[in-house]
Amino acid sequence: MRKGEITRRGIIRKAAPIFNQKGYEGAALSELMEATGLEKGGIYRHFQSKQQLAAEAFDYAWATAVSTRLEGTEQIANAVDRLKQIVWNFRDRREGLVPGGCPLLNTAIDTDDGNPVLRGKARRALARWIERLEAIVAEGQEKGEIEADVDAREVAMLIVSGLEGGLMMSRLQKKDEAIKLACRHLEEYLETKVRAAASEATKRGKNS
Amino acid sequence: MRKGEITRRGIIRKAAPIFNQKGYEGAALSELMEATGLEKGGIYRHFQSKQQLAAEAFDYAWATAVSTRLEGTEQIANAVDRLKQIVWNFRDRREGLVPGGCPLLNTAIDTDDGNPVLRGKARRALARWIERLEAIVAEGQEKGEIEADVDAREVAMLIVSGLEGGLMMSRLQKKDEAIKLACRHLEEYLETKVRAAASEATKRGKNS
């Protein structure tokens, strides 16, 4: 990797927690300079604008969040079990994330009434995240693990909104109660409304 | 009402949409001046600081949200029906609100990593909102309308987190899909897990 590219990536990595914690407006140049150890010119040699830096910081924070949430799930054969592990990862694996909470939730609220570039990033990230979960549901339906009559997109959206709502409350309360509760509720939903009854029967059949 | 008090309330009312849409850092003095038609000195004659104005603007926006969400619910006798109406109000009655979305969600995310005064306001508002819903559940349990073994606080928290998560997604997508889905899910939850089976039997008994 070229030296310029190394510096560039370092700036993104160090700027990401500031944007994720303070929001776009709240992220002061002085803090970005302190975190990166660079002068203004040193930062903006690599980025056209604050908005471009913020957009790349979002991409970095979001990519980290997605890979953390999917960690160890791809090898889980059953689709419902895979979705449950994603829910648990959301609740439990918050150490590897960029500090400041879910980048999607933060950027959604932060850019709600302005900042179209960042807003577009967040909207596309949400769309892809929903599609990803939806694909797991669809795969589970093809394999008979998930009820044929559930709507894959609805399942995906309920998982995302349930988790984000619980996380928002937990962050405000500085307690895990809400996110734990949201996860328990989603688990029950996945077990009772999403998992195919036949799949359970098949499993029992195989084990007996 | 004294003239000073009228001016003061006018400032709060006009500043509230700016803080709710732009956040604390994003709300520029120039915008506050334009919205209120006052000079800096004219605003700060009535408030000690930007933080004090923001805090009162939050109180105003939140009081509006709570009264809108409870509108027409107090006269509903059955506790489950009352909770369902609150869920519907959250989804449908967004016209009377201070522009910019749910003040609680906005302030929670905006003050997540700073601004302890506003953060404290939001935390207490959330606590009281949960207590309010919890009291409806508890009342329903006393009257036999709600299953005795559900946890009133859990029901209250799931309603709040389900709605806020759905709203966050809907605002990002600029579509009602997510909030409508979250409401439908909560309705089903209230009907199948919260409403007392006996209460349904009683109703049928009364109607026959």
mmCIF file of all heavy atoms in Angstrom, chain B residues 1-46:
data_model
loop_
_atom_site.group_PDB
_atom_site.id
_atom_site.type_symbol
_atom_site.label_atom_id
_atom_site.label_comp_id
_atom_site.label_asym_id
_atom_site.label_seq_id
_atom_site.Cartn_x
_atom_site.Cartn_y
_atom_site.Cartn_z
ATOM 1 N N MET B 1 -51.227 36.849 31.234
ATOM 2 C CA MET B 1 -49.800 36.510 31.177
ATOM 3 C C MET B 1 -48.974 37.773 30.906
ATOM 4 O O MET B 1 -49.361 38.594 30.095
ATOM 5 C CB MET B 1 -49.566 35.492 30.040
ATOM 6 C CG MET B 1 -48.333 34.634 30.247
ATOM 7 S SD MET B 1 -47.996 33.630 28.782
ATOM 8 C CE MET B 1 -49.425 32.547 28.774
ATOM 9 N N ARG B 2 -47.874 37.933 31.598
ATOM 10 C CA ARG B 2 -47.036 39.110 31.396
ATOM 11 C C ARG B 2 -46.403 39.082 29.999
ATOM 12 O O ARG B 2 -46.182 38.019 29.422
ATOM 13 C CB ARG B 2 -45.942 39.155 32.457
ATOM 14 C CG ARG B 2 -46.443 39.671 33.826
ATOM 15 C CD ARG B 2 -45.341 39.620 34.849
ATOM 16 N NE ARG B 2 -44.100 40.167 34.304
ATOM 17 C CZ ARG B 2 -42.942 39.505 34.264
ATOM 18 N NH1 ARG B 2 -42.860 38.287 34.737
ATOM 19 N NH2 ARG B 2 -41.860 40.074 33.746
ATOM 20 N N LYS B 3 -46.105 40.300 29.508
ATOM 21 C CA LYS B 3 -45.574 40.403 28.154
ATOM 22 C C LYS B 3 -44.254 39.616 28.005
ATOM 23 O O LYS B 3 -44.039 38.914 27.012
ATOM 24 C CB LYS B 3 -45.369 41.879 27.787
ATOM 25 C CG LYS B 3 -44.931 42.100 26.341
ATOM 26 C CD LYS B 3 -45.109 43.531 25.901
ATOM 27 C CE LYS B 3 -44.536 43.743 24.506
ATOM 28 N NZ LYS B 3 -43.063 43.680 24.470
ATOM 29 N N GLY B 4 -43.398 39.723 29.045
ATOM 30 C CA GLY B 4 -42.117 39.006 29.011
ATOM 31 C C GLY B 4 -42.328 37.500 28.882
ATOM 32 O O GLY B 4 -41.609 36.820 28.150
ATOM 33 N N GLU B 5 -43.336 37.000 29.590
ATOM 34 C CA GLU B 5 -43.619 35.563 29.571
ATOM 35 C C GLU B 5 -44.146 35.129 28.197
ATOM 36 O O GLU B 5 -43.799 34.053 27.705
ATOM 37 C CB GLU B 5 -44.640 35.229 30.682
ATOM 38 C CG GLU B 5 -44.914 33.748 30.881
ATOM 39 C CD GLU B 5 -43.679 32.901 31.168
ATOM 40 O OE1 GLU B 5 -42.677 33.441 31.690
ATOM 41 O OE2 GLU B 5 -43.713 31.692 30.850
ATOM 42 N N ILE B 6 -44.940 36.004 27.592
ATOM 43 C CA ILE B 6 -45.461 35.704 26.248
ATOM 44 C C ILE B 6 -44.298 35.612 25.242
ATOM 45 O O ILE B 6 -44.210 34.678 24.448
ATOM 46 C CB ILE B 6 -46.484 36.782 25.797
ATOM 47 C CG1 ILE B 6 -47.715 36.727 26.711
ATOM 48 C CG2 ILE B 6 -46.886 36.586 24.329
ATOM 49 C CD1 ILE B 6 -48.715 37.851 26.487
ATOM 50 N N THR B 7 -43.394 36.586 25.324
ATOM 51 C CA THR B 7 -42.221 36.572 24.435
ATOM 52 C C THR B 7 -41.402 35.308 24.666
ATOM 53 O O THR B 7 -40.981 34.630 23.721
ATOM 54 C CB THR B 7 -41.318 37.800 24.718
ATOM 55 O OG1 THR B 7 -42.142 38.964 24.712
ATOM 56 C CG2 THR B 7 -40.234 37.936 23.669
ATOM 57 N N ARG B 8 -41.185 34.985 25.936
ATOM 58 C CA ARG B 8 -40.386 33.818 26.312
ATOM 59 C C ARG B 8 -40.970 32.539 25.694
ATOM 60 O O ARG B 8 -40.266 31.741 25.087
ATOM 61 C CB ARG B 8 -40.388 33.729 27.836
ATOM 62 C CG ARG B 8 -39.328 32.853 28.403
ATOM 63 C CD ARG B 8 -39.292 32.970 29.932
ATOM 64 N NE ARG B 8 -38.120 32.272 30.414
ATOM 65 C CZ ARG B 8 -38.059 30.953 30.530
ATOM 66 N NH1 ARG B 8 -39.103 30.227 30.237
ATOM 67 N NH2 ARG B 8 -36.934 30.382 30.929
ATOM 68 N N ARG B 9 -42.271 32.370 25.871
ATOM 69 C CA ARG B 9 -42.917 31.167 25.319
ATOM 70 C C ARG B 9 -42.873 31.149 23.800
ATOM 71 O O ARG B 9 -42.745 30.094 23.180
ATOM 72 C CB ARG B 9 -44.374 31.092 25.785
ATOM 73 C CG ARG B 9 -44.446 30.857 27.285
ATOM 74 C CD ARG B 9 -45.780 30.346 27.713
ATOM 75 N NE ARG B 9 -45.868 30.334 29.167
ATOM 76 C CZ ARG B 9 -46.928 29.943 29.841
ATOM 77 N NH1 ARG B 9 -48.014 29.544 29.197
ATOM 78 N NH2 ARG B 9 -46.927 29.946 31.157
ATOM 79 N N GLY B 10 -42.994 32.337 23.204
ATOM 80 C CA GLY B 10 -42.899 32.439 21.742
ATOM 81 C C GLY B 10 -41.525 31.989 21.252
ATOM 82 O O GLY B 10 -41.415 31.288 20.245
ATOM 83 N N ILE B 11 -40.498 32.390 21.970
ATOM 84 C CA ILE B 11 -39.132 31.986 21.587
ATOM 85 C C ILE B 11 -39.000 30.460 21.652
ATOM 86 O O ILE B 11 -38.477 29.827 20.734
ATOM 87 C CB ILE B 11 -38.073 32.664 22.505
ATOM 88 C CG1 ILE B 11 -38.108 34.194 22.317
ATOM 89 C CG2 ILE B 11 -36.678 32.117 22.202
ATOM 90 C CD1 ILE B 11 -37.255 34.965 23.334
ATOM 91 N N ILE B 12 -39.505 29.877 22.740
ATOM 92 C CA ILE B 12 -39.409 28.414 22.904
ATOM 93 C C ILE B 12 -40.123 27.704 21.752
ATOM 94 O O ILE B 12 -39.577 26.786 21.131
ATOM 95 C CB ILE B 12 -40.027 27.979 24.259
ATOM 96 C CG1 ILE B 12 -39.171 28.510 25.424
ATOM 97 C CG2 ILE B 12 -40.169 26.459 24.336
ATOM 98 C CD1 ILE B 12 -39.814 28.369 26.787
ATOM 99 N N ARG B 13 -41.334 28.190 21.452
ATOM 100 C CA ARG B 13 -42.144 27.559 20.408
ATOM 101 C C ARG B 13 -41.457 27.644 19.044
ATOM 102 O O ARG B 13 -41.483 26.703 18.258
ATOM 103 C CB ARG B 13 -43.518 28.244 20.373
ATOM 104 C CG ARG B 13 -44.596 27.522 19.597
ATOM 105 C CD ARG B 13 -45.995 28.073 19.919
ATOM 106 N NE ARG B 13 -45.993 29.519 20.187
ATOM 107 C CZ ARG B 13 -46.002 30.488 19.269
ATOM 108 N NH1 ARG B 13 -46.031 30.180 18.001
ATOM 109 N NH2 ARG B 13 -45.992 31.772 19.619
ATOM 110 N N LYS B 14 -40.824 28.786 18.769
ATOM 111 C CA LYS B 14 -40.176 28.963 17.466
ATOM 112 C C LYS B 14 -38.800 28.294 17.404
ATOM 113 O O LYS B 14 -38.325 27.923 16.331
ATOM 114 C CB LYS B 14 -40.057 30.456 17.145
ATOM 115 C CG LYS B 14 -41.420 31.080 16.808
ATOM 116 C CD LYS B 14 -41.377 32.594 16.873
ATOM 117 C CE LYS B 14 -42.763 33.201 16.694
ATOM 118 N NZ LYS B 14 -42.788 34.610 17.163
ATOM 119 N N ALA B 15 -38.164 28.162 18.553
ATOM 120 C CA ALA B 15 -36.835 27.519 18.576
ATOM 121 C C ALA B 15 -36.951 25.997 18.537
ATOM 122 O O ALA B 15 -36.044 25.308 18.041
ATOM 123 C CB ALA B 15 -36.066 27.953 19.825
ATOM 124 N N ALA B 16 -38.082 25.478 19.035
ATOM 125 C CA ALA B 16 -38.230 24.013 19.176
ATOM 126 C C ALA B 16 -38.015 23.247 17.857
ATOM 127 O O ALA B 16 -37.270 22.258 17.836
ATOM 128 C CB ALA B 16 -39.581 23.675 19.799
ATOM 129 N N PRO B 17 -38.625 23.689 16.735
ATOM 130 C CA PRO B 17 -38.398 22.940 15.484
ATOM 131 C C PRO B 17 -36.931 22.970 15.043
ATOM 132 O O PRO B 17 -36.444 22.010 14.449
ATOM 133 C CB PRO B 17 -39.263 23.680 14.445
ATOM 134 C CG PRO B 17 -40.213 24.525 15.226
ATOM 135 C CD PRO B 17 -39.579 24.812 16.540
ATOM 136 N N ILE B 18 -36.245 24.064 15.337
ATOM 137 C CA ILE B 18 -34.836 24.170 14.926
ATOM 138 C C ILE B 18 -33.980 23.166 15.710
ATOM 139 O O ILE B 18 -33.206 22.410 15.138
ATOM 140 C CB ILE B 18 -34.324 25.615 15.108
ATOM 141 C CG1 ILE B 18 -35.163 26.553 14.218
ATOM 142 C CG2 ILE B 18 -32.834 25.725 14.766
ATOM 143 C CD1 ILE B 18 -34.902 28.021 14.446
ATOM 144 N N PHE B 19 -34.156 23.154 17.030
ATOM 145 C CA PHE B 19 -33.397 22.183 17.837
ATOM 146 C C PHE B 19 -33.790 20.747 17.482
ATOM 147 O O PHE B 19 -32.948 19.855 17.410
ATOM 148 C CB PHE B 19 -33.617 22.423 19.331
ATOM 149 C CG PHE B 19 -32.830 23.579 19.878
ATOM 150 C CD1 PHE B 19 -33.450 24.765 20.243
ATOM 151 C CD2 PHE B 19 -31.454 23.489 20.025
ATOM 152 C CE1 PHE B 19 -32.713 25.841 20.744
ATOM 153 C CE2 PHE B 19 -30.705 24.555 20.526
ATOM 154 C CZ PHE B 19 -31.341 25.737 20.885
ATOM 155 N N ASN B 20 -35.084 20.515 17.249
ATOM 156 C CA ASN B 20 -35.541 19.152 16.971
ATOM 157 C C ASN B 20 -35.043 18.656 15.612
ATOM 158 O O ASN B 20 -34.789 17.480 15.427
ATOM 159 C CB ASN B 20 -37.074 19.086 17.035
ATOM 160 C CG ASN B 20 -37.575 17.677 17.290
ATOM 161 O OD1 ASN B 20 -36.977 16.915 18.045
ATOM 162 N ND2 ASN B 20 -38.668 17.310 16.645
ATOM 163 N N GLN B 21 -34.882 19.572 14.660
ATOM 164 C CA GLN B 21 -34.428 19.177 13.332
ATOM 165 C C GLN B 21 -32.904 19.167 13.205
ATOM 166 O O GLN B 21 -32.341 18.280 12.584
ATOM 167 C CB GLN B 21 -35.001 20.127 12.269
ATOM 168 C CG GLN B 21 -36.503 19.939 12.063
ATOM 169 C CD GLN B 21 -37.109 20.991 11.145
ATOM 170 O OE1 GLN B 21 -37.016 20.903 9.932
ATOM 171 N NE2 GLN B 21 -37.719 22.002 11.724
ATOM 172 N N LYS B 22 -32.258 20.151 13.817
ATOM 173 C CA LYS B 22 -30.817 20.308 13.597
ATOM 174 C C LYS B 22 -29.968 19.737 14.723
ATOM 175 O O LYS B 22 -28.750 19.603 14.573
ATOM 176 C CB LYS B 22 -30.468 21.800 13.458
ATOM 177 C CG LYS B 22 -31.239 22.528 12.343
ATOM 178 C CD LYS B 22 -30.728 22.121 10.968
ATOM 179 C CE LYS B 22 -31.462 22.827 9.848
ATOM 180 N NZ LYS B 22 -30.796 24.023 9.372
ATOM 181 N N GLY B 23 -30.577 19.474 15.867
ATOM 182 C CA GLY B 23 -29.795 19.044 17.016
ATOM 183 C C GLY B 23 -29.198 20.244 17.728
ATOM 184 O O GLY B 23 -29.253 21.377 17.235
ATOM 185 N N TYR B 24 -28.593 19.995 18.874
ATOM 186 C CA TYR B 24 -28.091 21.090 19.699
ATOM 187 C C TYR B 24 -26.955 21.845 19.010
ATOM 188 O O TYR B 24 -26.980 23.069 18.894
ATOM 189 C CB TYR B 24 -27.632 20.542 21.054
ATOM 190 C CG TYR B 24 -27.095 21.617 21.962
ATOM 191 C CD1 TYR B 24 -27.962 22.473 22.631
ATOM 192 C CD2 TYR B 24 -25.729 21.788 22.128
ATOM 193 C CE1 TYR B 24 -27.487 23.474 23.450
ATOM 194 C CE2 TYR B 24 -25.239 22.789 22.951
ATOM 195 C CZ TYR B 24 -26.117 23.630 23.607
ATOM 196 O OH TYR B 24 -25.645 24.627 24.407
ATOM 197 N N GLU B 25 -25.984 21.091 18.521
ATOM 198 C CA GLU B 25 -24.829 21.733 17.882
ATOM 199 C C GLU B 25 -25.226 22.401 16.567
ATOM 200 O O GLU B 25 -24.728 23.466 16.216
ATOM 201 C CB GLU B 25 -23.724 20.698 17.588
ATOM 202 C CG GLU B 25 -23.101 20.048 18.807
ATOM 203 C CD GLU B 25 -22.119 20.959 19.525
ATOM 204 O OE1 GLU B 25 -21.747 22.015 18.974
ATOM 205 O OE2 GLU B 25 -21.724 20.608 20.653
ATOM 206 N N GLY B 26 -26.131 21.736 15.850
ATOM 207 C CA GLY B 26 -26.503 22.216 14.522
ATOM 208 C C GLY B 26 -27.415 23.440 14.528
ATOM 209 O O GLY B 26 -27.549 24.119 13.511
ATOM 210 N N ALA B 27 -28.053 23.714 15.663
ATOM 211 C CA ALA B 27 -28.966 24.858 15.743
ATOM 212 C C ALA B 27 -28.145 26.138 15.869
ATOM 213 O O ALA B 27 -27.610 26.451 16.927
ATOM 214 C CB ALA B 27 -29.899 24.702 16.948
ATOM 215 N N ALA B 28 -28.044 26.852 14.748
ATOM 216 C CA ALA B 28 -27.201 28.050 14.731
ATOM 217 C C ALA B 28 -27.960 29.254 15.292
ATOM 218 O O ALA B 28 -29.171 29.362 15.130
ATOM 219 C CB ALA B 28 -26.756 28.346 13.296
ATOM 220 N N LEU B 29 -27.210 30.128 15.946
ATOM 221 C CA LEU B 29 -27.805 31.349 16.502
ATOM 222 C C LEU B 29 -28.523 32.143 15.408
ATOM 223 O O LEU B 29 -29.615 32.677 15.635
ATOM 224 C CB LEU B 29 -26.702 32.206 17.154
ATOM 225 C CG LEU B 29 -27.181 33.522 17.776
ATOM 226 C CD1 LEU B 29 -28.182 33.276 18.908
ATOM 227 C CD2 LEU B 29 -25.990 34.338 18.296
ATOM 228 N N SER B 30 -27.916 32.180 14.207
ATOM 229 C CA SER B 30 -28.532 32.939 13.113
ATOM 230 C C SER B 30 -29.930 32.402 12.788
ATOM 231 O O SER B 30 -30.851 33.168 12.516
ATOM 232 C CB SER B 30 -27.643 32.863 11.865
ATOM 233 O OG SER B 30 -27.432 31.516 11.500
ATOM 234 N N GLU B 31 -30.094 31.075 12.840
ATOM 235 C CA GLU B 31 -31.409 30.488 12.567
ATOM 236 C C GLU B 31 -32.397 30.789 13.689
ATOM 237 O O GLU B 31 -33.573 31.037 13.445
ATOM 238 C CB GLU B 31 -31.302 28.966 12.429
ATOM 239 C CG GLU B 31 -30.657 28.518 11.140
ATOM 240 C CD GLU B 31 -30.446 27.012 11.135
ATOM 241 O OE1 GLU B 31 -29.531 26.536 11.862
ATOM 242 O OE2 GLU B 31 -31.198 26.326 10.441
ATOM 243 N N LEU B 32 -31.897 30.746 14.917
ATOM 244 C CA LEU B 32 -32.762 31.051 16.059
ATOM 245 C C LEU B 32 -33.226 32.506 15.970
ATOM 246 O O LEU B 32 -34.378 32.827 16.255
ATOM 247 C CB LEU B 32 -32.023 30.793 17.383
ATOM 248 C CG LEU B 32 -31.645 29.330 17.640
ATOM 249 C CD1 LEU B 32 -30.706 29.199 18.849
ATOM 250 C CD2 LEU B 32 -32.903 28.478 17.868
ATOM 251 N N MET B 33 -32.308 33.391 15.554
ATOM 252 C CA MET B 33 -32.644 34.804 15.409
ATOM 253 C C MET B 33 -33.673 35.005 14.300
ATOM 254 O O MET B 33 -34.650 35.730 14.459
ATOM 255 C CB MET B 33 -31.380 35.621 15.120
ATOM 256 C CG MET B 33 -30.528 35.863 16.381
ATOM 257 S SD MET B 33 -28.799 36.355 16.025
ATOM 258 C CE MET B 33 -29.054 37.774 14.982
ATOM 259 N N GLU B 34 -33.468 34.307 13.192
ATOM 260 C CA GLU B 34 -34.396 34.446 12.067
ATOM 261 C C GLU B 34 -35.792 33.936 12.435
ATOM 262 O O GLU B 34 -36.800 34.587 12.155
ATOM 263 C CB GLU B 34 -33.859 33.677 10.858
ATOM 264 C CG GLU B 34 -34.453 34.172 9.531
ATOM 265 C CD GLU B 34 -34.162 33.229 8.385
ATOM 266 O OE1 GLU B 34 -33.190 32.450 8.484
ATOM 267 O OE2 GLU B 34 -34.905 33.269 7.398
ATOM 268 N N ALA B 35 -35.831 32.788 13.097
ATOM 269 C CA ALA B 35 -37.125 32.182 13.445
ATOM 270 C C ALA B 35 -37.900 33.035 14.448
ATOM 271 O O ALA B 35 -39.126 33.149 14.372
ATOM 272 C CB ALA B 35 -36.920 30.774 13.991
ATOM 273 N N THR B 36 -37.171 33.625 15.386
ATOM 274 C CA THR B 36 -37.854 34.384 16.438
ATOM 275 C C THR B 36 -38.015 35.854 16.062
ATOM 276 O O THR B 36 -38.798 36.572 16.683
ATOM 277 C CB THR B 36 -37.058 34.323 17.763
ATOM 278 O OG1 THR B 36 -35.720 34.809 17.526
ATOM 279 C CG2 THR B 36 -36.969 32.896 18.286
ATOM 280 N N GLY B 37 -37.280 36.302 15.058
ATOM 281 C CA GLY B 37 -37.316 37.719 14.690
ATOM 282 C C GLY B 37 -36.656 38.606 15.738
ATOM 283 O O GLY B 37 -36.925 39.799 15.819
ATOM 284 N N LEU B 38 -35.768 38.005 16.538
ATOM 285 C CA LEU B 38 -35.094 38.761 17.608
ATOM 286 C C LEU B 38 -33.587 38.770 17.396
ATOM 287 O O LEU B 38 -33.027 37.878 16.742
ATOM 288 C CB LEU B 38 -35.395 38.123 18.970
ATOM 289 C CG LEU B 38 -36.856 38.169 19.451
ATOM 290 C CD1 LEU B 38 -37.030 37.266 20.674
ATOM 291 C CD2 LEU B 38 -37.273 39.600 19.784
ATOM 292 N N GLU B 39 -32.941 39.763 17.972
ATOM 293 C CA GLU B 39 -31.474 39.801 17.984
ATOM 294 C C GLU B 39 -30.986 38.867 19.097
ATOM 295 O O GLU B 39 -31.762 38.459 19.968
ATOM 296 C CB GLU B 39 -30.983 41.229 18.266
ATOM 297 C CG GLU B 39 -31.337 42.239 17.176
ATOM 298 C CD GLU B 39 -30.689 41.908 15.840
ATOM 299 O OE1 GLU B 39 -29.488 41.568 15.822
ATOM 300 O OE2 GLU B 39 -31.396 41.960 14.806
ATOM 301 N N LYS B 40 -29.684 38.587 19.074
ATOM 302 C CA LYS B 40 -29.092 37.726 20.103
ATOM 303 C C LYS B 40 -29.482 38.186 21.514
ATOM 304 O O LYS B 40 -29.932 37.405 22.350
ATOM 305 C CB LYS B 40 -27.560 37.728 19.943
ATOM 306 C CG LYS B 40 -26.849 36.820 20.925
ATOM 307 C CD LYS B 40 -25.342 36.818 20.702
ATOM 308 C CE LYS B 40 -24.659 35.965 21.770
ATOM 309 N NZ LYS B 40 -23.210 35.958 21.650
ATOM 310 N N GLY B 41 -29.331 39.492 21.746
ATOM 311 C CA GLY B 41 -29.639 40.041 23.072
ATOM 312 C C GLY B 41 -31.105 39.852 23.445
ATOM 313 O O GLY B 41 -31.431 39.627 24.612
ATOM 314 N N GLY B 42 -31.980 39.943 22.432
ATOM 315 C CA GLY B 42 -33.412 39.773 22.671
ATOM 316 C C GLY B 42 -33.756 38.351 23.085
ATOM 317 O O GLY B 42 -34.675 38.117 23.873
ATOM 318 N N ILE B 43 -33.010 37.392 22.531
ATOM 319 C CA ILE B 43 -33.230 35.979 22.919
ATOM 320 C C ILE B 43 -32.662 35.736 24.312
ATOM 321 O O ILE B 43 -33.328 35.226 25.207
ATOM 322 C CB ILE B 43 -32.563 35.011 21.903
ATOM 323 C CG1 ILE B 43 -33.234 35.138 20.531
ATOM 324 C CG2 ILE B 43 -32.646 33.569 22.408
ATOM 325 C CD1 ILE B 43 -32.570 34.324 19.419
ATOM 326 N N TYR B 44 -31.387 36.144 24.499
ATOM 327 C CA TYR B 44 -30.708 35.781 25.744
ATOM 328 C C TYR B 44 -31.087 36.658 26.943
ATOM 329 O O TYR B 44 -30.610 36.431 28.045
ATOM 330 C CB TYR B 44 -29.194 35.662 25.516
ATOM 331 C CG TYR B 44 -28.898 34.399 24.738
ATOM 332 C CD1 TYR B 44 -28.404 34.427 23.439
ATOM 333 C CD2 TYR B 44 -29.194 33.156 25.298
ATOM 334 C CE1 TYR B 44 -28.176 33.259 22.721
ATOM 335 C CE2 TYR B 44 -28.976 31.975 24.587
ATOM 336 C CZ TYR B 44 -28.469 32.038 23.306
ATOM 337 O OH TYR B 44 -28.258 30.877 22.612
ATOM 338 N N ARG B 45 -31.968 37.641 26.717
ATOM 339 C CA ARG B 45 -32.569 38.327 27.856
ATOM 340 C C ARG B 45 -33.473 37.331 28.621
ATOM 341 O O ARG B 45 -33.671 37.440 29.815
ATOM 342 C CB ARG B 45 -33.396 39.516 27.359
ATOM 343 C CG ARG B 45 -34.021 40.358 28.472
ATOM 344 C CD ARG B 45 -34.737 41.587 27.916
ATOM 345 N NE ARG B 45 -33.848 42.346 27.035
ATOM 346 C CZ ARG B 45 -34.204 42.846 25.848
ATOM 347 N NH1 ARG B 45 -35.434 42.685 25.403
ATOM 348 N NH2 ARG B 45 -33.349 43.521 25.111
ATOM 349 N N HIS B 46 -34.005 36.344 27.900
ATOM 350 C CA HIS B 46 -34.981 35.418 28.488
ATOM 351 C C HIS B 46 -34.391 34.071 28.894
ATOM 352 O O HIS B 46 -35.034 33.309 29.598
ATOM 353 C CB HIS B 46 -36.134 35.197 27.500
ATOM 354 C CG HIS B 46 -36.868 36.453 27.154
ATOM 355 N ND1 HIS B 46 -37.884 36.946 27.939
ATOM 356 C CD2 HIS B 46 -36.699 37.338 26.135
ATOM 357 C CE1 HIS B 46 -38.342 38.068 27.399
ATOM 358 N NE2 HIS B 46 -37.629 38.335 26.309
#
